[in-house]
Amino acid sequence: MKFGYTIVYVPDVAQSLQFFEQAFGFQRKFLHESGTYGELLTGDTTLSFAAHELAASNFPQGHVAASESAKPLGMELGFVTDDVKAAHDRAVAAGASELTPPTSKPWGQVVSYVRCPDGTLVELCSPIGG
């Protein structure tokens, strides 16, 4: 078994790709011509975005849209960086909402939380033991 990718369902795939490029510096791998699916280059594991309309076709009973929830969903994307404050500031400048500023944790990490315009919850953190 290998963890291959994460798909985040969003209102507008192209806008989410553009935000993640600006806010976190990821590079676009591709955006399907339909505009309903796209991927970013993020390392070994692909970060993908799919439109809510695609989710509706996959899940006929419906799904919870992070973009429509007042509170963040109970899952997050974690991005590791050596400079959490700079990454946090860049994300907020690109349009993310600050949930928790960079904070030193007892186990040695610096961690912050932002919520992206599409509702995605992102943890920015320093490497463990770093």
Side-chain angles (χ1 to χ4, degrees), residues 76-98:
E76 63 191 53
L77 300 177
F79 300 146
V80 180
T81 178
D82 290 328
D83 190 343
V84 174
K85 181 173 179 354
H88 181 90
D89 291 346
R90 179 179 176 175
V92 170
S97 299
E98 178 181 82

Side-chain angles (χ1 to χ4, degrees), residues 14-71:
Q15 284 182 359
S16 291
L17 289 172
Q18 183 177 17
F19 172 78
F20 275 72
E21 289 167 331
Q22 291 175 346
F24 306 114
F26 294 122
Q27 187 176 12
R28 187 176 304 201
K29 185 174 179 182
F30 80 94
L31 172 61
H32 187 268
E33 63 188 33
S34 68
T36 62
Y37 183 81
E39 295 181 350
L40 294 171
L41 297 170
T42 60
D44 291 336
T45 304
T46 299
L47 178 56
S48 308
F49 297 90
H52 288 302
E53 63 193 73
L54 188 57
S57 71
N58 292 335
F59 315 116
Q61 301 300 320
H63 70 286
V64 176
S67 58
E68 297 173 14
S69 174
K71 294 181 181 180

